[in-house]
Amino acid sequence: MSSYYDKLLTLCGFEYEEIKMERPRIEASFERLGLGPEDMDTADTWVRQNHDVSLEGVRKLLGAWLKELIDLVLARDERKKIVYYGFPAILGPGLILSASSEDVFVSAPDMVLDHTMGQIFNKLAPILEAGEANGLPPGHALCSLWQAKVGGIAKGMIPVPDFALASSYYCDMGSKADDLVTAKYGVPIAYIDGVMDSKWGEYPEYLPERVHYLGAQINQALEKAEEVLKIKIAPDAWEKSRKSSQPFRDNLARLVEVMKADPVPVSVVELELLEALSSSSTGRGIREGIKAMDILIHELEKRVEAGIGVTEKGAPRVMVRLGHTSDPRVTRLIESTGLAVPLTFILGSFGGVKVNPRGNYTTPGEIIADYEMTGGYYHGTEAQVHFYEKAAELMKLDGFISQYLYNCRPVATISHIQKRYLEEKTGLPVLSLEIDNFDSRAYSADSLRTKVETFAELLKAKKK
């Protein structure tokens, strides 16, 4: 017997047996999210308009996000001990906690809401408004991701967590927003602090003291998690979690090779779906995402062989920082102007600079910190710019679109430094584009179109 949601879930990669088996969970979660029959029709149209559902891998990726959403909504009902962290985050602590106990659910709920209630159902705005009404008012340059998280809790869509991992090593607003959740709901917090202010010219080197400091912060957070959640960190938790997520990282590296093709075989909208999943899920979402990527990469390899792409062959190639997490129309705007986007910052980090961890640390926190320092994202401004520079050679780029969030200090501060540095070092044009990657109410595709179209015409003329 079919239900009102079967058609949409099938579109999003669910098998019939999966739907049949999960009906009680699907219906309980959709009821809590306020999703009814009319929302399924709207979502069906929205997904078909904005995602390449001719690719089974894309449909499976959408399904992976929906499965993560269902698990998130029902985590309290299913007696899970719930841990939330913010994006972008050092994922290691969450992976260790998840690998140490099957009773612990660890997730970045703001990203899950963005990619489901935004990218699939187009119903994120009421959640953001609830966040604004519950301590994160508009007009104060506050993070839209935090508005989604607080709004989701306030509306009863997602459960209040048992524990929060607050990230002030990158996003200094994150720890203060977690303070708000604690003030309203009494959630215990572990603060993980760090220092991103590297000296220019230091990367890829880094002082051991930075690893010791960040590692100690992570170790303290894990100790507090053990105390609050009443679990014991498994001695092999880090290795176990790394092993389980390694296929995802391997697939990202494979994807870099596929995206070198001209024409580019898939939209950056779909790249964003899979990139963000690796930093938002420690459970079923990431496991389903690995299966989806295997399918998608095989499909894209076939497209490359056939010369099929989302833009014309020879189109100017640009790198962007991130795709839009909740409104695919904003990301598609770039390709609609005739520009090909072969990679983003996250994907570029898997195919560009290779730095090996030093590996001479013994505590879980220091091992994680050592690993993260090699990646560059938490190293400093120069390390992040360095990935863009290397990507120009790797992907034969013609320019960069450097999006920066006006309401994100670490990203906003890099914007104009990055433009000047890349134009001087690579000789390629850079569009420094003010945006909100998580909320399109003020920064819609239409509001950004003129700037992107003008930049596209510049690149096309230069390429001729």
Side-chain angles (χ1 to χ4, degrees):
M1 181 177 178
S2 62
S3 296
Y4 67 92
Y5 47 76
D6 284 23
K7 180 183 174 184
L8 177 68
L9 294 188
T10 301
L11 177 65
C12 293
F14 278 70
E15 303 294 336
Y16 174 75
E17 288 301 318
E18 289 180 312
I19 299 174
K20 181 179 177 181
M21 183 176 64
E22 289 215 37
R23 283 203 192 280
R25 300 182 77 242
I26 294 167
E27 290 171 3
S29 59
F30 279 16
E31 181 180 358
R32 194 162 299 166
L33 291 163
L35 297 172
E38 68 283 355
D39 296 304
M40 302 301 117
D41 292 337
T42 301
D44 186 280
T45 302
W46 177 257
V47 168
R48 291 181 188 278
Q49 287 176 344
N50 293 294
H51 291 286
D52 190 350
V53 292
S54 67
L55 294 167
E56 182 186 359
V58 170
R59 299 196 301 273
K60 293 288 187 182
L61 277 171
L62 292 167
W65 280 106
L66 282 175
K67 290 170 185 176
E68 184 72 12
L69 175 68
I70 292 167
D71 291 352
L72 167 63
V73 171
L74 300 180
R76 175 72 64 220
D77 304 59
E78 296 172 349
R79 301 183 182 280
K80 299 289 187 180
K81 298 173 180 178
I82 303 166
V83 179
Y84 288 165
Y85 58 90
F87 177 89
I90 292 176
L91 194 58
L95 287 171
I96 283 181
L97 293 175
S98 181
S100 295
S101 173
E102 293 183 357
D103 296 329
V104 175
F105 177 82
V106 187
S107 182
D110 37 20
M111 289 292 279
V112 177
L113 289 170
D114 270 27
H115 285 87
T116 52
M117 298 303 288
Q119 291 230 26
I120 295 175
F121 294 104
N122 192 22
K123 289 190 68 173
L124 187 67
I127 301 174
L128 296 172
E129 290 166 2
E132 291 170 341
N134 284 272
L136 297 168
H140 291 260
L142 300 172
C143 181
S144 310
L145 278 176
W146 276 99
Q147 289 172 337
K149 180 183 289 186
V150 172
I153 294 173
K155 288 176 74 68
M157 293 178 163
I158 60 175
V160 176
D162 297 292
F163 187 62
L165 290 169
S167 57
S168 59
Y169 46 82
Y170 184 83
C171 171
D172 49 2
M173 190 185 300
S175 58
K176 301 310 296 178
D178 269 316
D179 284 343
L180 171 63
V181 175
T182 293
K184 290 178 71 69
Y185 304 104
V187 178
I189 303 178
Y191 299 98
I192 302 176
D193 197 8
V195 180
M196 279 187 61
D197 300 324
S198 306
K199 293 185 296 184
W200 199 273
E202 182 180 2
Y203 186 77
E205 297 300 319
Y206 48 92
L207 295 172
E209 288 81 0
R210 295 185 68 179
V211 176
H212 292 315
Y213 180 79
L214 180 55
Q217 292 281 304
I218 294 172
N219 285 330
Q220 290 173 13
L222 291 174
E223 290 169 5
K224 186 165 184 178
E226 285 184 313
E227 176 187 342
V228 172
L229 301 174
K230 294 180 172 53
I231 64 170
K232 188 68 179 175
I233 302 296
D236 64 342
W238 174 241
E239 287 303 319
K240 182 179 176 182
S241 63
R242 288 280 296 157
K243 185 177 180 180
S244 66
S245 59
Q246 185 62 45
F248 199 94
R249 293 187 293 276
D250 292 342
N251 276 345
L252 283 178
R254 287 173 59 199
L255 192 59
V256 170
E257 294 303 311
V258 174
M259 295 303 291
K260 289 179 180 179
D262 182 17
V264 171
V266 72
S267 169
V268 69
V269 169
E270 320 310 351
L271 295 186
E272 195 281 331
L273 276 179
L274 61 90
E275 291 170 352
L277 189 58
S278 65
S279 6
S280 307
S281 165
T282 66
R284 186 162 65 142
I286 188 69
R287 293 193 297 271
E288 293 291 325
I290 291 170
K291 298 175 188 176
M293 286 181 74
D294 285 333
I295 296 170
L296 179 61
I297 291 172
H298 182 64
E299 291 177 309
L300 297 185
E301 288 171 342
K302 285 187 173 182
R303 279 191 173 185
V304 171
E305 290 176 10
I308 298 171
V310 295
T311 51
E312 293 183 0
K313 184 177 177 62
R317 297 163 68 88
V318 299
M319 177 181 177
V320 300
R321 183 179 187 88
L322 292 170
H324 202 287
T325 65
S326 63
D327 190 341
R329 294 172 302 181
V330 178
T331 309
R332 284 206 177 276
L333 162 66
I334 299 170
E335 292 160 337
S336 73
T337 65
L339 297 178
V341 186
L343 82 171
T344 66
F345 177 87
I346 296 175
L347 186 58
S349 67
F350 282 84
V353 184
K354 297 295 183 184
V355 183
N356 294 320
R358 292 175 178 159
N360 55 348
Y361 300 99
T362 57
T363 69
E366 288 174 320
I367 291 170
I368 293 170
D370 185 31
Y371 173 79
E372 293 293 348
M373 288 299 293
T374 66
Y377 207 81
Y378 307 110
H379 194 296
T381 295
E382 184 210 7
Q384 296 185 52
V385 173
H386 200 45
F387 281 110
Y388 286 80
E389 183 182 357
K390 291 299 180 183
E393 180 181 349
L394 180 73
M395 290 294 187
K396 296 181 172 55
L397 299 180
D398 298 292
F400 303 90
I401 296 182
S402 174
Q403 308 129 300
Y404 66 95
L405 284 70
Y406 76 101
N407 53 350
C408 179
R409 184 187 65 86
V411 175
T413 53
I414 195 177
S415 58
H416 292 70
I417 296 173
Q418 177 173 281
K419 175 178 169 62
R420 186 174 72 244
Y421 178 87
L422 287 175
E423 289 183 339
E424 290 176 356
K425 293 288 286 187
T426 68
L428 300 177
V430 179
L431 172 62
S432 192
L433 186 66
E434 184 177 298
I435 195 172
D436 187 335
N437 279 91
F438 314 116
D439 176 8
S440 61
R441 291 177 298 172
Y443 291 84
S444 66
D446 288 339
S447 70
L448 301 169
R449 184 173 300 279
T450 300
K451 291 181 179 179
V452 178
E453 286 179 339
T454 303
F455 186 66
E457 291 305 314
L458 168 70
L459 292 185
K460 290 174 188 176
K462 186 175 180 181
K463 189 149 189 173
K464 285 182 181 179

